[in-house]
Amino acid sequence: MTEVKVGVVGGTGYTGAELLRLLIVHPYAQIEVITSRSEAGRPVADLYPNLRGYIDIAYSEPDENILANCDIVFFATPHGVAQSLVPSLIAAGTRVIDISADFRIRDIALWEKWYGQEHACPELVHQAVYGLPELNREAIKRAQLVACPGCYPTSVLLGFLPLLEQQLVDTQHLIASCASGASGAGRQAKVDLLLSEVSDSFKAYGVSGHRHLPEIEQGLSDIIGSDAEAPLLTFVPHLLPMIRGIHSTLYARLLDSDVDLQALYEQRYRAEPFVDVLPAGVCPQTRSVRGTNLCRLSIHQPLERDMAVVTVVEDNLTKGASGQAIQNMNLMLGYDESTGLSAPPVLP
Amino acid sequence: MTEVKVGVVGGTGYTGAELLRLLIVHPYAQIEVITSRSEAGRPVADLYPNLRGYIDIAYSEPDENILANCDIVFFATPHGVAQSLVPSLIAAGTRVIDISADFRIRDIALWEKWYGQEHACPELVHQAVYGLPELNREAIKRAQLVACPGCYPTSVLLGFLPLLEQQLVDTQHLIASCASGASGAGRQAKVDLLLSEVSDSFKAYGVSGHRHLPEIEQGLSDIIGSDAEAPLLTFVPHLLPMIRGIHSTLYARLLDSDVDLQALYEQRYRAEPFVDVLPAGVCPQTRSVRGTNLCRLSIHQPLERDMAVVTVVEDNLTKGASGQAIQNMNLMLGYDESTGLSAPPVLP
Amino acid sequence: MTEVKVGVVGGTGYTGAELLRLLIVHPYAQIEVITSRSEAGRPVADLYPNLRGYIDIAYSEPDENILANCDIVFFATPHGVAQSLVPSLIAAGTRVIDISADFRIRDIALWEKWYGQEHACPELVHQAVYGLPELNREAIKRAQLVACPGCYPTSVLLGFLPLLEQQLVDTQHLIASCASGASGAGRQAKVDLLLSEVSDSFKAYGVSGHRHLPEIEQGLSDIIGSDAEAPLLTFVPHLLPMIRGIHSTLYARLLDSDVDLQALYEQRYRAEPFVDVLPAGVCPQTRSVRGTNLCRLSIHQPLERDMAVVTVVEDNLTKGASGQAIQNMNLMLGYDESTGLSAPPVLP
Amino acid sequence: MTEVKVGVVGGTGYTGAELLRLLIVHPYAQIEVITSRSEAGRPVADLYPNLRGYIDIAYSEPDENILANCDIVFFATPHGVAQSLVPSLIAAGTRVIDISADFRIRDIALWEKWYGQEHACPELVHQAVYGLPELNREAIKRAQLVACPGCYPTSVLLGFLPLLEQQLVDTQHLIASCASGASGAGRQAKVDLLLSEVSDSFKAYGVSGHRHLPEIEQGLSDIIGSDAEAPLLTFVPHLLPMIRGIHSTLYARLLDSDVDLQALYEQRYRAEPFVDVLPAGVCPQTRSVRGTNLCRLSIHQPLERDMAVVTVVEDNLTKGASGQAIQNMNLMLGYDESTGLSAPPVLP
């Protein structure tokens, strides 16, 4: 396989650092440039001491020529940044994987409402492929612009997928009770994210509305098709007193209580390299996927009643962000889908 | 007020230790005896170094005469223990508050099924009052035997109570997505409870069936009345990487979407000393009640759809166990209900 | 006892919130005013949800007249603030307890070097009494201005005190290897204090020099007297992945290996209400004092060699800050020294 | 390179699981057998859900023939086990790497005193090479039996090494103030290791004597040579509220205060693949080496006084146990020393 020249825009946040960690062990990726306006000139290993000895590059100001000269450019930036830089890269023929939210939602008005700003390049949104390989594998292979799913949406969509594809549940009262480690909120200097605030506690947040809700509902709708009534989800995220990991507990009313759900899930995900259906009765734990691109899940039907429960775990920074971005890169470039993503999770 | 002589059966577990901590600051309680078969002879402060200097008693073998001589006896034992000792105490006229599960479920067959053993004194079960003051205050005052609710049931019942009393929701598809700190599993030498196993992770457990489910469903039924169709709950508990605290996220489909739920909850709990309804939009966090008998909750109706969401927090060892036991004692003995329970939570 | 009107300057930080929590349960303290320039107008319970229902006051702009009208004013401010407000309060006859570092170090030049600013009222520094009751109890009772010790200094000074008073150790090579929970760094929006940065990790910091070093060396010198050679301490603080608690491990070379150190410590602290010498061989744990004004310690002489090891724990926000401030207030106002400080620690 | 057949005795503990995780990614290691008497027949992935999909072997009863047929056998067992099985393997010509304490201490009487049992094969102890590559690289290459150092000893010896080699410090009053995550105590069902006991707290333990002390003192003596006076160390271990990581803070009185310690350390470790000397003034944090074989350290001389302070971090399960075991295997088999050990740490 040939090497590929990679650029990373926004390398100071946790998704950026995770991307670097994964690119370092990727056999074909050659990191050309890592940009950061705020930290330009500072060695990456200054901010991320784990990478000391593994990467010698310093952050640099973003330069469109240098980026356009890469084969592939990742955006690990806050929303709103990619949309200003992506058009020129697309024009230059560079392939782009955006880990931020800029190109995920196809309904521009909906995006602008939830993100509170005007979109700078709506024409590119429809060109972007939603980068959930388990749903859009073939389209991703051909895409020039991939919009990586959010962390919560990845776990919720993978969890509901088989039930919805088979039209087994009431789509008007879906529930996702999710919990994320604090790294999901990023490396931001906010009082709410201090150890003294988050540790030893648990709470819900964003109950009245979270930006991942329209993204998830769009994905659910893609699964059941636009002819069906638009699905409605109640989505409640919670903040866990830990760093990494997302756990989603999904509830859906079964229209038919007699389906073999275990067999359904096993069959649907048999060929997927990163979705692991656990044996009946075993609940996944977030640490069992830490630092990897795995999504492990299990399907339950408590007391044989008419309610299905799906429990799903992923690492929010890996399968929920930068690992999935690498998985998409592998697909786009024709590498084996698991290239550079095969190390087992660290446990305990 | 006169002093009351108190006995504690089973003082080595976390609920026992919490009970002692609360009795120490109670102005009228005089601790006469703390029993433990396994630790008899050992000073309490050996096991609980926080209590060093506050309590000089050593654990002793349980002695029915000494216990019967107390005005009130608490059981902070594993299930199955209280039912063997309580009958003689009841016969002797002693009042008993059982923090364990022995007298919570009135359907003996149901209890025996979920707890896997025969009940030793079914005749006392119907005499016992379920010790949730917000539901059974007057009966508790007159009771000789109080069965303290479990930790999960307390939070779930308080959260659903106003919705069910007003018949506002579909009772056949109630959902309780709950999470507890590790102290809920007690002070047991089990690999599953090691810091190296629980820390930095999150998982569901007991999805196929948890002993608190029949207890909660009985409580829900008590609220809506036996004439109504028996309510059905999907209950999924999760294990949090922290010590104390329960968070319950409750979901119920609204039959009428136009009720002012905030006003309903505020009115229902206005006079309750230990239930705090938060302002609209504010989510409770577990640490805001740590070490206290408070239950804080908030009611939401996301995007004005037909789904109500209630978020509830309590300290599993306090309002979820020993604090509620003291609250019951206060009611039984005619003290002010908040006596000894008024210290503010420690935060951060 | 008569009530006392209390003012709190700087109530938004963790020491301020801890002070409020303790004042709420103090039987004689009446909180008149809580100031904060940044949060003026906002209810205290908005920032500290644990205090909801316990305190109805909102923060207000500091007003010298209102403060001067209090019987006692606490400063829970960053260093540099108290020195600008204290002079007028002192002139007005108000008694002041400063929890910040402004009046701790008598050598003005030394203070200015370590704190990097000019001192605004050096003349008051010598009037201030260093508020370590175990060392300066009588002077505190008469003081108008008390400078509360820092969190690390309290634990290090109490740990070394008996050894130094008896001239048993080499004072030129004292070592304090200390560790603090993250709340010691305060409620500041800094990336370094995020849960994602502090949790699941441990590190030393400030090895080349920490502001508490000159304060501790001054205290050590006060103990051995100014005639003795100035003591030299190597002080290495570490950051613990937890919220509250300081643990100090002290090392001192014994000049005489045959002293009964256990008896020495027990005797020295026998009458102290807040210093608990543990039985020989028992090591204190930080959680055994959480939320209280206790300092627990133990003295060791490993393998009977010529090295003494003292292990000391305190809660950095309580005995290390606001609890000790209340202890000082009790002494100044003639209350029993333990008033409002007697609740047992919460554990687990 | 040719493949090597590997056997693992005792694969249920944390060092065993870490060894498996590392062997899975080692390009030349072929895991033949993983033994466990207690879990024989159970799939490894049942105990370690992170390894699900990576390893299909079940635990089996130890069988000397199968083990002897391996090229190399690791012991990840409690002390006392290896010494009963190793002699026959040595006789069969199999090479052995013992991660337990059985062959670390050459003074048999000393071993028997600290470990409280008779040694079963003292004759093999002198044949064993102490597996600290930075000290004994050449001997390890030729060894048939390697005794891997303990977790604390590895960090303390690497930290003191340059100072002692150059005879720069007083060897009679060395101090090691160390702290370990809870995984260091292993996967044992003990109340003391519960999350509810360890989390949110910090304490010293084993102050009066810890089994790693004689091992460290032996290593220190090896460094300075047997002609020098035997070094004396005060060693105080502490328990951290986290899973992985050891931090050692070392104190040594300098005999000469004018040496350039930074240069000394950088030069000594320049060629070492797993020892990283940080820039002056930077303190290492345990998470910067998590899951890897790296040891990062820094050397300080606070205020230019006569006390050197070394701060050292390692992952107790990796460089402190199983990673170092793989490093030793690589040396013994002629692989590049870093083979299979080059993945960067996961952070945050």
Side-chain angles (χ1 to χ4, degrees):
Chain A
M1 283 287 173
T2 52
E3 291 218 330
V4 60
K5 287 188 287 184
V6 171
V8 175
V9 181
T12 61
Y14 292 142
T15 52
E18 182 74 349
L19 189 64
L20 297 178
R21 182 178 73 84
L22 295 168
L23 287 169
I24 285 167
V25 300
H26 195 285
Y28 310 127
Q30 177 67 35
I31 303 172
E32 293 290 303
V33 61
I34 309 168
T35 79
S36 164
R37 291 192 196 279
S38 60
E39 303 287 351
R42 200 165 162 201
V44 169
D46 255 31
L47 265 79
Y48 289 97
N50 60 320
L51 300 184
R52 186 179 143 87
Y54 293 93
I55 195 164
D56 283 334
I57 305 180
Y59 293 109
S60 57
E61 292 279 348
D63 175 315
E64 293 192 19
N65 290 327
I66 294 174
L67 291 170
N69 197 37
C70 293
D71 298 303
I72 202 152
V73 172
F74 291 91
F75 283 82
T77 44
H79 65 86
V81 176
Q83 55 190 257
S84 69
L85 281 166
V86 163
S88 67
L89 295 176
I90 294 295
T94 308
R95 298 179 89 175
V96 172
I97 298 175
D98 180 22
I99 306 178
S100 85
D102 277 9
F103 299 96
R104 292 177 192 159
I105 295 178
R106 293 188 302 271
D107 181 334
I108 303 295
L110 194 65
W111 190 91
E112 293 182 340
K113 175 188 152 197
W114 284 90
Y115 287 88
Q117 60 184 91
E118 206 177 338
H119 202 290
C121 54
E123 67 285 0
L124 282 182
V125 172
H126 287 272
Q127 185 180 329
V129 174
Y130 191 67
L132 191 64
E134 293 77 6
L135 196 59
N136 295 326
R137 183 168 282 111
E138 294 310 313
I140 292 166
K141 289 180 183 173
R142 300 183 303 265
Q144 192 188 353
L145 171 58
V146 166
C148 273
C151 49
Y152 284 124
T154 296
S155 68
V156 175
L157 292 173
L158 292 175
F160 276 130
L161 185 64
L163 288 175
L164 264 63
E165 280 181 344
Q166 300 302 318
Q167 304 175 34
L168 293 174
V169 295
D170 169 10
T171 62
Q172 301 302 295
H173 298 94
L174 299 170
I175 289 171
S177 215
C178 303
S180 173
S183 63
R187 190 175 166 279
Q188 304 180 71
K190 288 189 177 175
V191 166
D192 283 359
L193 301 176
L194 299 182
L195 178 128
S196 296
E197 299 292 312
V198 180
S199 179
D200 210 16
S201 197
F202 188 62
K203 66 172 178 183
Y205 66 97
V207 180
S208 60
H210 185 286
R211 286 167 173 169
H212 283 176
L213 176 62
E215 180 185 340
I216 301 172
E217 289 190 338
Q218 171 184 279
L220 296 171
S221 180
D222 288 350
I223 296 169
I224 62 176
S226 53
D227 291 345
E229 192 177 4
L232 294 176
L233 175 74
T234 300
F235 168 53
V236 179
H238 301 72
L239 181 59
L240 282 164
M242 58 185 231
I243 298 175
R244 279 170 179 254
I246 276 187
H247 187 288
S248 292
T249 309
L250 312 178
Y251 302 87
R253 185 173 169 184
L254 287 162
L255 302 177
D256 174 353
S257 302
D258 292 330
V259 178
D260 183 341
L261 299 175
Q262 180 71 23
L264 169 69
Y265 272 69
E266 288 182 3
Q267 184 158 331
R268 175 59 180 86
Y269 287 126
R270 182 154 297 152
E272 285 297 337
F274 294 114
V275 182
D276 178 26
V277 179
L278 299 184
V282 176
C283 287
Q285 45 189 300
T286 59
R287 66 184 195 140
S288 77
V289 298
R290 194 191 293 142
T292 73
N293 202 47
L294 286 166
C295 169
R296 300 198 204 258
L297 54 81
S298 54
I299 173 79
H300 316 262
Q301 188 181 348
L303 304 182
E304 312 305 315
R305 292 176 179 175
D306 67 344
M307 189 72 74
V309 177
V310 192
T311 48
V312 190
V313 299
E314 65 173 28
D315 186 317
N316 55 301
L317 296 178
T318 324
K319 182 62 175 169
S322 303
Q324 189 148 263
I326 301 277
Q327 185 181 1
N328 280 313
M329 179 186 81
N330 288 339
L331 287 168
M332 292 164 80
L333 298 176
Y335 301 141
D336 181 274
E337 194 168 336
S338 302
T339 306
L341 294 172
S342 58
V346 175
L347 180 156
Chain B
M1 283 287 174
T2 51
E3 290 220 332
V4 59
K5 287 189 288 182
V6 171
V8 175
V9 181
T12 62
Y14 292 142
T15 51
E18 181 74 350
L19 189 64
L20 296 177
R21 182 179 73 83
L22 294 168
L23 288 170
I24 285 167
V25 299
H26 196 286
Y28 310 126
Q30 177 67 34
I31 304 172
E32 293 290 304
V33 61
I34 310 168
T35 80
S36 164
R37 291 191 196 279
S38 59
E39 303 287 351
R42 200 166 162 200
V44 169
D46 255 30
L47 266 80
Y48 290 98
N50 60 320
L51 300 184
R52 186 178 144 86
Y54 293 94
I55 195 163
D56 283 334
I57 305 179
Y59 293 108
S60 58
E61 292 279 348
D63 177 315
E64 292 191 21
N65 290 327
I66 293 174
L67 290 171
N69 198 37
C70 293
D71 297 302
I72 202 152
V73 172
F74 292 91
F75 282 83
T77 45
H79 65 85
V81 176
Q83 56 191 256
S84 68
L85 280 166
V86 163
S88 67
L89 294 175
I90 293 296
T94 307
R95 300 179 88 175
V96 172
I97 298 175
D98 180 21
I99 306 178
S100 86
D102 277 9
F103 298 97
R104 291 178 193 160
I105 295 178
R106 293 188 302 271
D107 180 334
I108 303 295
L110 193 65
W111 189 92
E112 294 182 338
K113 175 188 153 199
W114 283 91
Y115 288 88
Q117 62 183 89
E118 208 177 336
H119 202 290
C121 54
E123 67 284 1
L124 281 182
V125 171
H126 288 274
Q127 184 179 331
V129 173
Y130 190 68
L132 192 64
E134 293 78 6
L135 198 57
N136 295 326
R137 182 168 281 111
E138 294 311 312
I140 292 166
K141 289 180 182 173
R142 299 183 303 266
Q144 192 187 355
L145 171 58
V146 165
C148 274
C151 49
Y152 284 124
T154 295
S155 68
V156 176
L157 292 173
L158 292 176
F160 275 130
L161 184 64
L163 288 175
L164 265 63
E165 279 181 344
Q166 301 300 321
Q167 304 175 37
L168 294 175
V169 295
D170 168 9
T171 62
Q172 300 303 295
H173 299 94
L174 299 170
I175 290 171
S177 215
C178 303
S180 173
S183 64
R187 189 175 167 279
Q188 304 179 72
K190 288 188 175 174
V191 165
D192 283 358
L193 301 177
L194 299 182
L195 178 127
S196 297
E197 298 291 312
V198 179
S199 180
D200 210 17
S201 198
F202 187 65
K203 66 172 177 182
Y205 65 97
V207 180
S208 60
H210 184 286
R211 285 165 173 169
H212 282 177
L213 175 62
E215 180 185 340
I216 301 173
E217 290 190 337
Q218 170 184 278
L220 296 171
S221 180
D222 287 351
I223 295 170
I224 62 175
S226 54
D227 290 346
E229 193 177 4
L232 294 175
L233 174 75
T234 300
F235 168 53
V236 179
H238 301 73
L239 181 58
L240 282 165
M242 58 185 230
I243 299 175
R244 279 170 180 253
I246 276 187
H247 187 289
S248 292
T249 309
L250 312 178
Y251 304 87
R253 185 173 169 184
L254 287 163
L255 303 177
D256 174 353
S257 301
D258 293 330
V259 177
D260 182 342
L261 299 175
Q262 180 71 25
L264 169 70
Y265 272 68
E266 287 182 3
Q267 184 158 332
R268 176 58 179 84
Y269 288 126
R270 182 154 298 152
E272 285 298 338
F274 293 113
V275 182
D276 177 26
V277 178
L278 298 185
V282 176
C283 287
Q285 44 189 303
T286 59
R287 64 182 194 141
S288 76
V289 299
R290 193 191 293 141
T292 72
N293 202 47
L294 285 167
C295 170
R296 299 198 204 258
L297 54 81
S298 54
I299 173 79
H300 316 262
Q301 188 181 349
L303 304 182
E304 312 305 316
R305 291 176 180 175
D306 68 342
M307 188 72 75
V309 177
V310 193
T311 48
V312 190
V313 298
E314 66 173 29
D315 186 317
N316 55 300
L317 296 178
T318 323
K319 181 62 176 170
S322 304
Q324 189 148 261
I326 301 278
Q327 184 182 0
N328 280 312
M329 179 186 82
N330 288 337
L331 288 168
M332 293 164 80
L333 298 176
Y335 302 141
D336 180 273
E337 194 168 338
S338 302
T339 306
L341 295 171
S342 58
V346 175
L347 182 155
Chain C
M1 283 287 174
T2 51
E3 291 219 331
V4 60
K5 288 187 287 182
V6 171
V8 175
V9 181
T12 62
Y14 292 142
T15 52
E18 181 75 350
L19 189 64
L20 295 178
R21 183 179 72 84
L22 295 168
L23 288 170
I24 285 167
V25 300
H26 196 285
Y28 310 126
Q30 178 67 35
I31 303 174
E32 294 289 303
V33 60
I34 309 167
T35 81
S36 164
R37 290 191 197 280
S38 60
E39 303 287 350
R42 202 166 162 199
V44 169
D46 254 30
L47 267 78
Y48 289 97
N50 60 320
L51 301 184
R52 188 178 142 85
Y54 293 95
I55 194 163
D56 284 331
I57 305 180
Y59 293 109
S60 57
E61 292 279 346
D63 176 315
E64 292 192 20
N65 289 328
I66 294 174
L67 291 171
N69 198 37
C70 293
D71 298 304
I72 202 152
V73 172
F74 292 90
F75 282 82
T77 45
H79 65 85
V81 176
Q83 56 190 257
S84 69
L85 281 167
V86 163
S88 68
L89 295 176
I90 293 295
T94 308
R95 299 179 88 173
V96 172
I97 298 175
D98 180 22
I99 305 178
S100 86
D102 277 9
F103 298 97
R104 292 177 192 160
I105 295 179
R106 293 188 302 270
D107 181 333
I108 303 294
L110 193 65
W111 190 91
E112 293 181 340
K113 174 186 155 202
W114 283 89
Y115 287 87
Q117 62 183 90
E118 206 177 337
H119 202 289
C121 55
E123 67 284 1
L124 282 182
V125 172
H126 287 273
Q127 185 179 329
V129 173
Y130 190 69
L132 192 64
E134 293 77 7
L135 198 59
N136 294 328
R137 183 168 281 111
E138 294 310 314
I140 291 165
K141 289 180 183 172
R142 299 182 304 265
Q144 192 188 354
L145 172 58
V146 165
C148 273
C151 50
Y152 284 125
T154 296
S155 68
V156 175
L157 292 173
L158 292 176
F160 275 132
L161 185 65
L163 289 175
L164 264 64
E165 280 181 345
Q166 301 301 321
Q167 304 176 34
L168 293 175
V169 295
D170 168 10
T171 61
Q172 300 303 294
H173 298 94
L174 298 170
I175 289 171
S177 215
C178 303
S180 174
S183 63
R187 190 174 166 280
Q188 304 180 71
K190 288 188 176 174
V191 165
D192 283 359
L193 301 176
L194 299 182
L195 177 129
S196 296
E197 298 291 312
V198 180
S199 180
D200 210 16
S201 197
F202 187 64
K203 66 172 179 183
Y205 65 97
V207 180
S208 60
H210 184 287
R211 284 166 173 168
H212 283 176
L213 176 62
E215 179 185 339
I216 301 172
E217 289 191 339
Q218 171 184 279
L220 297 171
S221 181
D222 287 350
I223 295 169
I224 62 176
S226 55
D227 291 346
E229 192 176 5
L232 293 175
L233 174 74
T234 300
F235 168 54
V236 179
H238 301 73
L239 181 60
L240 282 164
M242 56 186 231
I243 299 175
R244 280 171 179 254
I246 275 187
H247 187 288
S248 292
T249 310
L250 312 178
Y251 303 87
R253 186 173 170 184
L254 287 163
L255 302 177
D256 174 352
S257 303
D258 293 330
V259 178
D260 182 343
L261 299 175
Q262 180 71 24
L264 169 69
Y265 272 67
E266 287 182 2
Q267 185 158 332
R268 176 58 180 84
Y269 287 125
R270 182 154 298 153
E272 285 298 337
F274 294 113
V275 183
D276 177 26
V277 179
L278 298 184
V282 176
C283 288
Q285 46 189 301
T286 59
R287 65 181 195 143
S288 77
V289 298
R290 193 190 294 141
T292 72
N293 202 46
L294 284 166
C295 169
R296 302 199 202 257
L297 55 80
S298 55
I299 173 80
H300 316 261
Q301 188 180 349
L303 304 181
E304 313 304 315
R305 291 176 179 173
D306 67 344
M307 189 72 73
V309 176
V310 192
T311 47
V312 189
V313 298
E314 66 173 26
D315 187 318
N316 54 300
L317 295 178
T318 324
K319 181 63 175 170
S322 304
Q324 189 148 261
I326 301 279
Q327 185 181 1
N328 280 312
M329 178 187 81
N330 287 339
L331 288 168
M332 292 164 79
L333 297 177
Y335 302 141
D336 181 273
E337 194 167 338
S338 301
T339 306
L341 295 171
S342 58
V346 175
L347 182 156
Chain D
M1 283 286 174
T2 51
E3 290 218 331
V4 60
K5 287 188 289 182
V6 171
V8 175
V9 181
T12 62
Y14 291 142
T15 52
E18 181 75 348
L19 189 63
L20 297 177
R21 182 180 73 85
L22 294 169
L23 288 169
I24 285 167
V25 299
H26 196 284
Y28 309 127
Q30 179 65 36
I31 303 173
E32 293 290 304
V33 62
I34 309 168
T35 80
S36 164
R37 289 190 197 279
S38 60
E39 303 286 351
R42 199 166 163 200
V44 169
D46 255 31
L47 266 78
Y48 290 98
N50 59 321
L51 301 182
R52 186 177 143 86
Y54 294 93
I55 195 163
D56 283 334
I57 306 178
Y59 293 109
S60 58
E61 292 279 347
D63 176 316
E64 293 192 19
N65 289 328
I66 293 174
L67 290 171
N69 197 37
C70 293
D71 299 303
I72 202 151
V73 172
F74 292 90
F75 282 82
T77 44
H79 65 87
V81 176
Q83 56 189 256
S84 69
L85 281 166
V86 164
S88 69
L89 294 175
I90 293 296
T94 307
R95 298 179 87 173
V96 172
I97 298 175
D98 180 22
I99 305 177
S100 86
D102 277 9
F103 298 97
R104 293 179 192 158
I105 295 178
R106 292 188 302 272
D107 180 335
I108 303 295
L110 194 64
W111 190 91
E112 294 181 338
K113 174 187 155 202
W114 282 90
Y115 287 87
Q117 62 183 91
E118 206 176 338
H119 202 288
C121 55
E123 66 285 0
L124 282 181
V125 171
H126 288 274
Q127 185 180 329
V129 174
Y130 190 69
L132 191 65
E134 294 77 6
L135 197 59
N136 295 328
R137 182 168 282 111
E138 294 311 313
I140 292 165
K141 290 179 182 173
R142 300 183 304 266
Q144 192 187 355
L145 172 58
V146 165
C148 274
C151 50
Y152 284 124
T154 296
S155 68
V156 176
L157 292 173
L158 292 176
F160 276 131
L161 184 65
L163 288 175
L164 265 64
E165 280 181 345
Q166 302 300 320
Q167 304 174 36
L168 293 175
V169 295
D170 169 11
T171 62
Q172 300 304 293
H173 298 94
L174 299 170
I175 289 170
S177 215
C178 302
S180 174
S183 64
R187 190 175 166 280
Q188 303 180 72
K190 287 189 176 174
V191 166
D192 283 359
L193 300 176
L194 300 182
L195 178 129
S196 297
E197 299 291 313
V198 179
S199 180
D200 209 17
S201 197
F202 187 64
K203 67 173 178 183
Y205 65 96
V207 180
S208 60
H210 184 285
R211 284 164 174 170
H212 283 177
L213 176 62
E215 180 185 340
I216 301 173
E217 289 190 337
Q218 171 184 279
L220 296 171
S221 180
D222 288 350
I223 295 169
I224 62 176
S226 54
D227 291 345
E229 192 176 5
L232 294 175
L233 174 74
T234 300
F235 168 53
V236 178
H238 302 73
L239 181 58
L240 281 164
M242 57 186 231
I243 299 175
R244 279 171 180 253
I246 276 187
H247 186 289
S248 292
T249 309
L250 312 177
Y251 303 87
R253 184 172 169 183
L254 287 162
L255 302 177
D256 174 352
S257 303
D258 293 330
V259 178
D260 183 340
L261 299 175
Q262 180 71 23
L264 169 69
Y265 271 69
E266 287 182 4
Q267 185 158 331
R268 177 58 179 84
Y269 287 126
R270 182 154 298 155
E272 285 297 338
F274 293 113
V275 183
D276 178 26
V277 179
L278 298 184
V282 177
C283 286
Q285 45 190 301
T286 59
R287 64 182 195 144
S288 77
V289 299
R290 193 191 293 142
T292 73
N293 202 46
L294 285 166
C295 169
R296 301 198 203 258
L297 55 79
S298 55
I299 173 78
H300 316 261
Q301 187 180 351
L303 303 181
E304 313 304 315
R305 291 175 179 175
D306 67 343
M307 189 72 74
V309 177
V310 193
T311 48
V312 190
V313 298
E314 66 174 26
D315 187 316
N316 55 301
L317 296 178
T318 323
K319 181 63 175 171
S322 304
Q324 190 149 261
I326 301 277
Q327 185 182 2
N328 280 312
M329 178 186 82
N330 288 339
L331 288 169
M332 293 164 78
L333 298 176
Y335 302 141
D336 181 274
E337 194 167 339
S338 302
T339 306
L341 295 171
S342 58
V346 176
L347 181 154

